[in-house]
Amino acid sequence: MGHAEIEIERRDRVTHGDYVAKLDAGDTPAKLSWTQRDDVRHAEHTFVPTSHRGRGIAEKLVEALIEDARSNGFKIAPDCSYVERYFDRHKELADLRA
């Protein structure tokens, strides 16, 4: 099975929301959940089903969040360990870290 381009859907409920990666039908979707407090989006949890790990899906979810932070002017609090490690690896994103 080839890996199709992963499509990220934004579910925005103003104070909180999710970035969701659609996977195969019947699979639990991968997602990054956030909560907004003032102009900071707290990345709370990143989940990718075991069968889909190692495909860079979590990274795609974080990249969608970062893209939105750049275009919408909010900062990101990496409360989730995955997002925290992502920021640690990408020092150029320090200005977006709350």
Side-chain angles (χ1 to χ4, degrees):
M1 166 187 110
H3 297 318
E5 187 51 45
I6 296 154
E7 190 187 319
I8 306 294
E9 180 193 323
R10 289 159 170 82
R11 295 184 185 163
D12 196 332
R13 299 180 186 84
V14 188
T15 56
H16 64 281
D18 302 298
Y19 288 87
V20 181
K22 297 261 185 58
L23 303 170
D24 309 322
D27 281 345
T28 308
K31 70 178 184 178
L32 189 167
S33 309
W34 56 267
T35 306
Q36 182 101 13
R37 292 200 273 287
D38 301 317
D39 58 351
V40 176
R41 224 172 241 199
H42 293 257
E44 299 195 323
H45 186 62
T46 307
F47 169 80
V48 177
T50 319
S51 58
H52 291 277
R53 292 192 182 149
R55 287 175 53 189
I57 296 172
E59 200 164 39
K60 287 262 193 304
L61 293 167
V62 179
E63 285 163 1
L65 172 65
I66 286 164
E67 203 177 291
D68 288 355
R70 288 246 184 265
S71 49
N72 302 327
F74 59 80
K75 290 205 181 299
I76 299 165
D79 298 356
C80 139
S81 58
Y82 180 85
V83 179
E84 189 171 20
R85 285 195 304 275
Y86 188 95
F87 270 96
D88 290 343
R89 287 200 312 273
H90 297 86
K91 300 295 184 204
E92 73 280 5
L93 300 173
D95 63 312
L96 289 180
R97 193 172 184 162

